[in-house]
Amino acid sequence: MKKIKFFNSIRFRLIVVLFIMLIIPISVFSKVCIYKEKSKYISVTEKNISNHIATLDNILMDYISNVEDNLDYLLDKII
């Protein structure tokens, strides 16, 4: 009787084909999910950054306005 080696058998080839058929869709699906999550994270981060910049801009403008008001008040008191 001839001995069949496992790596040359149909069973091994079937296992390899099934493995490849499972790995390719899983890897593609994972890449798509990672891309979507990355896009969502970038969008949220950009929105947060723009909100922080707007808040800092408002704070700076209020500070400048207060300094101008204080200078005007001091000038009125001096003159």
Side-chain angles (χ1 to χ4, degrees), residues 52-63:
H52 288 300
I53 288 173
T55 303
L56 288 173
D57 187 42
N58 289 337
I59 290 171
L60 183 62
M61 293 305 291
D62 289 343
Y63 177 75

Side-chain angles (χ1 to χ4, degrees), residues 6-70:
F6 180 71
F7 294 111
N8 291 334
S9 68
I10 293 176
R11 185 178 191 185
F12 175 73
R13 291 179 183 167
L14 181 64
I15 291 171
V16 169
V17 168
L18 287 175
F19 182 73
I20 291 172
M21 287 174 62
L22 287 173
I23 290 298
I24 291 174
I26 289 172
S27 63
V28 169
F29 181 71
S30 66
K31 291 287 184 183
V32 168
C33 289
I34 289 171
Y35 178 76
K36 284 183 180 180
E37 287 298 318
K38 186 173 97 173
S39 297
K40 190 187 309 180
Y41 179 74
I42 289 172
S43 172
V44 167
T45 304
E46 286 175 347
K47 191 182 296 183
N48 286 338
I49 288 173
S50 65
N51 287 340
H52 288 300
I53 288 173
T55 303
L56 288 173
D57 187 42
N58 289 337
I59 290 171
L60 183 62
M61 293 305 291
D62 289 343
Y63 177 75
I64 291 171
S65 174
N66 282 337
V67 169
E68 287 176 348
D69 291 342
N70 289 337

